[in-house]
Amino acid sequence: MTNAMLKSAKGNKIANRQAISEVLLELAKENKDILVVTSDSRGSASLVEFGKQLPSQIVEVGIAEQNLVGVASGLAASGKKPFVASPACFLSMRSIEQIKVDVAYSNTNVKLIGISGGVSYGALGMSHHSLQDLAVTRAIPGLDVMMPADRHEAKKMIEALVEYDRPVYLRIGRNPVEDSYASENYEFHIGKAVTMKEGTDITIIASGETVRIALDSAVALQQEGIDCRVINMHTIKPLDKESILKAAEETGRIITIEEHSIYGGLGSAVAEVVSQSNPVPVRILGLPDEPAIAGKTAEVFEYYGLSIDNVRKIAIQMVGGR
Amino acid sequence: MNKIEFLKRKATEIRMELLTMIYEAGTGHTGGSLSNTDILTVLYYHIMNADPNNPKWEDRDRYVQSKGHAVESYWAILADKGFFPKEELKTFSQFNTRLIGHPNNKVPGVEMNTGALGHGLPISVGMALAAKMDGKSYRVYTLMGDGEQAEGSVWEGAMAAAHYKLDNLVAIIDRNGLQITGTTEDVMSLEPFGAKWSAFGWEVVEVDGNDIEQLVTVLENTPNVAGKPTLIVANTVKGKGISFAENVAKWHHHVPSKEEYQLAMEELSKQLEVQQ
Ligand SMILES: Cc1ncc(C[n+]2csc(CCOP(=O)(O)OP(=O)(O)O)c2C)c(N)n1
Ligand SMILES: [Mg+2]
């Protein structure tokens, strides 16, 4: 039972960062070792309230993302459970050597939360987009990579991460996303993909905020008589290869959709698996290899075909060619 | 009208323009753009050699805006100087614009793309070093935020500039005392600030960064020590010019409501009347 919401019920106003900060505050009240570490980023991370209620459990380093991750790794090496929260663009680029060496290589229990991920910052431009973060973090041994689909999954993910003694990079967006789950009432396991909808003609694999687009596309495809499976790959590493190969075997074609460069992210990860075991056609939807056009998330998604309409068209093409 | 009066008036006009851009776009970095308006006005209308009709002129002075987020005053000035049509300011932060929320070198007059803090000084060191190599006399100006000073790369650049004796490099710090979370001294203390730069081998000058006259005097006489880069600590007020935005942290990226916008424009109009 996945508890997925096939039809979108528009109206959620709670951003994933808000959901995360609420659960972190609850958990940190009970465990003094849980810390948040910020780089003039507590406002963007919705952690102002955390800082007010637990001032001794927030460490502020100022606008210094390398120091941020270095300090967090030292805290972790000394028994603390630091949750770093900083814009995904800076965290995954400015601090990447600290992530590779101080966190992943030294295996310190640091949780890295990349906020305002993808193109959340809209017209602030490429310096503020994080469209390479999955590619770079995925290639670092010892670092897990995750993206929650909605506020329910974000909460369950944080609860799981508090008990998970490994370095993790977790990316979320800035704005509220429509729910993909009806409630928190479902089983969540790190590294185990969720089949949001069964289907036999084609599979759409999505992560993070594109899961909602995948579900909406599947509903649209039903009307075309196409029975579409939807997989929520909330953990991009370690990747649930089994679910991918099962989808390849049972549906014969795959579309991936992600808020990331077409290079090195979810689509690449899926293609790496199928090409080596069961090479079925895979179409990778993401942002092309160019500085993204300026605009709000919805405008940018529409422009690059991360839309229900485009997924529908591509699915019809692929299934038509069966 | 004498030069000082002209510059004061210009700065107020730029404030009105940038506020309108932010209000209409519904996004922008209001406080930091208002704090650096006077500095940019003096640089662009009095100090720097720049030619809007030949933006790539090889002897031009270079300007790198390291605190890229406060781009609105910069766009307003570049448009007013004629680097691109003023009409284009209406596209600020809109779909498919080149006038995005940070400096973008697809726009004439902009040298480098910035937005990630802590990049401007190392870039400027490279430009100043190239001028020395080529025996050119252009100067390089860069503007940094005070919150930005927490970035290690600022101090890496600081060391290199002194090492290479870059007396053609002028770095200006918009010392408005605020960053996003609150005051710089609460978030990550900087003081004794000027002393840090002196210890790194820079010639340090302090100025009221919202006082046009002082800025003119200091920048006209800069750089003033051979073999040393110059650091100007420009003490400013974040949100300068709009009484209710001054020194209020949330105005970092607060977008004025309709009421706030009208009040602010009234205040600025009154300042303009006095400056007639
Ligand atoms: C590397 C990097 N980290 C974080 C940010 C996000 N950010 C944008 S503006 C800002 C605060 C800047 O404060 P300050 O340097 O004092 O600028 P000002 O007060 O002049 O606006 C921050 C943290 C960024 N743009 N770049
Ligand atoms: Mg400041």
Side-chain angles (χ1 to χ4, degrees), chain B residues 43 47-48 61 128 132 136-141 165-172 201-205 215-232:
Chain B
L43 281 178
I47 297 290
M48 286 190 351
D61 288 331
K132 295 269 181 197
K136 293 215 170 273
S137 60
Y138 68 78
R139 287 183 183 158
V140 184
Y141 296 88
K165 301 186 173 28
L166 299 177
D167 50 15
N168 51 352
L169 172 62
V170 181
I172 306 169
W202 287 58
E203 178 66 15
V204 177
V205 190
L215 283 167
V216 166
T217 310
V218 165
L219 284 162
E220 274 181 354
N221 294 301
T222 304
N224 55 8
V225 178
K228 271 185 157 192
T230 300
L231 189 277
I232 299 177

Side-chain angles (χ1 to χ4, degrees), chain B residues 182-197:
Chain B
T183 69
T184 53
E185 299 317 285
D186 280 346
V187 175
M188 185 52 60
S189 42
L190 294 174
E191 295 296 343
F193 185 58
K196 288 192 169 109
W197 283 91

Side-chain angles (χ1 to χ4, degrees), chain B:
Chain B
M1 203 188 322
N2 74 21
K3 188 82 201 182
I4 300 292
E5 280 166 19
F6 167 81
L7 291 171
K8 283 185 179 168
R9 227 187 122 73
K10 186 57 84 183
T12 307
E13 286 166 3
I14 296 298
R15 286 193 164 91
M16 295 175 86
E17 186 79 79
L18 77 88
L19 200 72
T20 303
M21 285 164 62
I22 291 172
Y23 174 67
E24 277 171 7
T27 176
H29 287 89
T30 318
S33 255
L34 290 166
S35 68
N36 69 29
T37 299
D38 302 296
I39 298 165
L40 277 184
T41 302
V42 173
L43 281 178
Y44 270 92
Y45 294 88
H46 184 59
I47 297 290
M48 286 190 351
N49 288 316
D51 180 1
N53 297 315
N54 188 9
K56 294 274 175 199
W57 172 37
E58 56 176 39
D59 291 322
R60 71 192 181 280
D61 288 331
R62 310 308 202 252
Y63 172 71
V64 178
Q65 184 158 316
S66 194
K67 46 168 285 192
H69 56 280
V71 75
E72 294 84 2
S73 46
Y74 192 25
W75 287 149
I77 286 174
L78 289 178
D80 184 62
K81 295 284 290 183
F83 283 94
F84 58 86
K86 241 181 176 171
E87 190 62 16
E88 199 178 331
L89 290 176
K90 292 207 177 82
T91 72
F92 170 63
S93 284
Q94 302 304 303
F95 180 66
N96 199 15
T97 185
R98 54 180 185 172
L99 300 186
I100 60 170
H102 288 107
N104 169 13
N105 66 3
K106 287 204 181 89
V107 179
V110 177
E111 305 285 347
M112 292 290 280
N113 292 342
T114 50
L117 295 166
H119 288 225
L121 186 58
I123 292 167
S124 302
V125 167
M127 291 176 168
L129 202 52
K132 295 269 181 197
M133 290 170 176
D134 295 344
K136 293 215 170 273
S137 60
Y138 68 78
R139 287 183 183 158
V140 184
Y141 296 88
T142 185
L143 177 68
M144 291 182 274
D146 49 2
E148 181 180 4
Q149 301 302 300
E151 290 286 4
S153 52
V154 170
W155 302 95
E156 296 171 25
M159 219 182 277
H163 178 81
Y164 287 106
K165 301 186 173 28
L166 299 177
D167 50 15
N168 51 352
L169 172 62
V170 181
I172 306 169
I173 314 262
D174 186 348
R175 182 76 175 108
N176 57 29
L178 287 175
Q179 50 193 106
I180 298 179
T181 306
T183 69
T184 53
E185 299 317 285
D186 280 346
V187 175
M188 185 52 60
S189 42
L190 294 174
E191 295 296 343
F193 185 58
K196 288 192 169 109
W197 283 91
S198 302
F200 270 70
W202 287 58
E203 178 66 15
V204 177
V205 190
E206 269 203 55
V207 64
D208 179 339
N210 294 126
D211 183 319
I212 296 276
E213 256 178 294
Q214 279 193 37
L215 283 167
V216 166
T217 310
V218 165
L219 284 162
E220 274 181 354
N221 294 301
T222 304
N224 55 8
V225 178
K228 271 185 157 192
T230 300
L231 189 277
I232 299 177
V233 182
N235 294 309
T236 59
V237 171
K238 203 160 176 173
K240 177 74 186 177
I242 300 170
S243 58
F244 49 92
E246 290 187 355
N247 290 315
V248 182
K250 81 157 189 186
W251 278 81
H252 176 77
H253 45 204
H254 177 71
V255 176
S257 66
K258 190 171 180 201
E259 258 193 341
E260 288 168 334
Y261 173 68
Q262 283 166 350
L263 280 174
M265 291 300 274
E266 271 171 37
E267 283 192 16
L268 292 167
S269 307
K270 280 193 190 129
Q271 292 167 32
L272 210 53
E273 277 168 29
V274 179
Q275 288 156 353
Q276 282 292 4

Side-chain angles (χ1 to χ4, degrees), chain A residues 71-280:
Chain A
V71 167
S73 74
L75 288 165
S78 313
K80 303 294 181 192
K81 289 189 172 192
F83 284 73
V84 168
S86 188
C89 53
F90 310 125
L91 186 59
S92 67
M93 291 284 144
R94 194 59 157 274
S95 336
I96 199 64
E97 190 168 277
Q98 278 76 10
I99 292 176
K100 181 183 119 189
V101 180
D102 310 350
V103 177
Y105 187 30
S106 293
N107 190 28
T108 49
N109 184 16
V110 178
K111 302 298 186 285
L112 304 151
I113 306 179
I115 57 176
S116 303
V119 296
S120 296
Y121 279 127
L124 291 186
M126 175 134 155
S127 66
H128 280 59
H129 294 155
S130 49
L131 296 169
Q132 300 77 28
D133 55 339
L134 302 181
V136 71
T137 53
R138 208 162 73 75
I140 295 175
L143 182 66
D144 293 352
V145 181
M146 301 176 196
M147 260 165 88
D150 69 0
R151 58 188 166 134
H152 301 303
E153 195 160 75
K155 182 169 179 214
K156 293 180 83 77
M157 214 173 246
I158 295 292
E159 285 166 349
L161 289 184
V162 167
E163 305 299 327
Y164 188 65
D165 192 11
R166 263 176 77 81
V168 172
Y169 174 73
L170 185 161
R171 188 235 268 187
I172 54 173
R174 182 173 178 79
N175 305 312
V177 263
E178 300 304 338
D179 293 338
S180 289
Y181 291 96
S183 72
E184 284 151 33
N185 189 18
Y186 71 99
E187 292 231 346
F188 173 84
H189 299 286
I190 292 167
K192 186 97 195 70
V194 181
T195 302
M196 307 291 281
K197 178 185 173 301
E198 292 293 351
T200 52
D201 293 330
I202 187 165
T203 300
I204 307 176
I205 305 180
S207 323
E209 306 190 5
T210 56
V211 172
R212 188 62 258 167
I213 300 173
L215 287 169
D216 291 337
S217 305
V219 170
L221 283 164
Q222 237 159 14
Q223 279 148 30
E224 311 276 348
I226 293 175
D227 187 21
C228 177
R229 182 177 302 185
V230 176
I231 294 177
N232 169 13
M233 197 62 73
H234 54 68
T235 308
I236 291 158
K237 194 182 164 189
L239 189 67
D240 185 350
K241 294 179 182 146
E242 218 175 282
S243 74
I244 297 171
L245 289 174
K246 190 161 175 281
E249 179 64 31
E250 293 173 3
T251 72
R253 39 190 91 68
I254 296 173
I255 297 175
T256 65
I257 171 163
E258 65 197 297
E259 188 175 352
H260 186 270
S261 162
I262 48 170
Y263 296 153
L266 173 70
S268 298
V270 168
E272 285 155 17
V273 172
V274 299
S275 68
Q276 296 182 74
S277 301
N278 182 6
V280 300

